[in-house]
Amino acid sequence: MKDLSKITKEEWENICDNCGKCCLIKLQDEDTNENYYTNIICRYYDLENQRCSVYEKRDKMRDGCLILTKENVDKLEWMPKTCAYRKLFEPDFKPCGNCIPLKGRVISEAEVNEDDWEDYIIDEDEL
């Protein structure tokens, strides 16, 4: 593996396989801090093209959206198990590579009332 300090911005961006799972709405239990996935995807995720439609300004467009960096990605407990970036920090991990598109398996955040998000909790392995 290449030394992370030597990875260029372009190389970093190319690690992502655009699965979109990091764009799923996640809920956190206030008492236990446990994270739960939903099958609700961010309103800015373009399911047809499997990309964020506001990628360059995503952190400004959506509260809570993070820009993944070499410095933070290994500290984010909610990152999906199949995230290609995790391969960098888990040597025996194999990314999904050819991920199954989320289209038809998720619902846009724009279509769900925030008060109902708990009704959409799923097991991470379902996607």
Side-chain angles (χ1 to χ4, degrees):
M1 182 182 92
K2 189 171 186 174
D3 180 352
L4 287 183
S5 66
K6 294 183 170 121
I7 291 179
T8 66
K9 182 177 185 203
E10 183 179 352
E11 288 172 323
W12 178 256
E13 292 294 326
N14 287 332
I15 291 170
C16 180
D17 60 13
N18 298 312
C19 73
K21 290 183 181 179
C22 62
C23 299
L24 293 171
I25 302 296
K26 291 156 282 298
L27 305 176
Q28 187 173 54
D29 185 297
E30 293 175 5
D31 296 325
T32 66
N33 289 328
E34 188 170 352
N35 294 305
Y36 296 94
Y37 279 81
T38 71
N39 64 337
I40 304 169
I41 194 122
C42 174
R43 70 183 67 240
Y44 298 115
Y45 190 78
D46 178 347
L47 286 165
E48 290 295 323
N49 295 305
Q50 290 183 255
R51 299 207 184 284
C52 177
S53 63
V54 295
Y55 188 76
E56 294 303 321
K57 54 186 175 181
R58 65 196 180 280
D59 59 321
K60 293 168 186 57
M61 296 287 296
R62 185 165 203 309
D63 188 37
C65 185
L66 297 175
I67 294 178
L68 300 178
T69 67
K70 298 173 268 189
E71 294 75 32
N72 72 4
V73 74
D74 66 326
K75 296 168 183 62
L76 303 172
E77 294 178 18
W78 52 263
M79 287 298 291
K81 293 176 190 172
T82 57
C83 177
Y85 287 112
R86 289 182 71 158
K87 180 179 180 186
L88 300 173
F89 302 98
E90 299 177 13
D92 59 339
F93 177 81
K94 294 187 180 13
C96 64
N98 190 9
C99 292
I100 299 168
L102 293 176
K103 186 177 178 183
R105 301 184 305 138
V106 296
I107 186 168
S108 173
E109 164 188 25
E111 299 177 38
V112 181
N113 184 315
E114 189 172 345
D115 293 336
D116 297 329
W117 283 1
E118 287 184 8
D119 296 339
Y120 292 83
I121 291 175
I122 59 167
D123 184 302
E124 180 185 353
D125 296 329
E126 290 181 47
L127 291 174

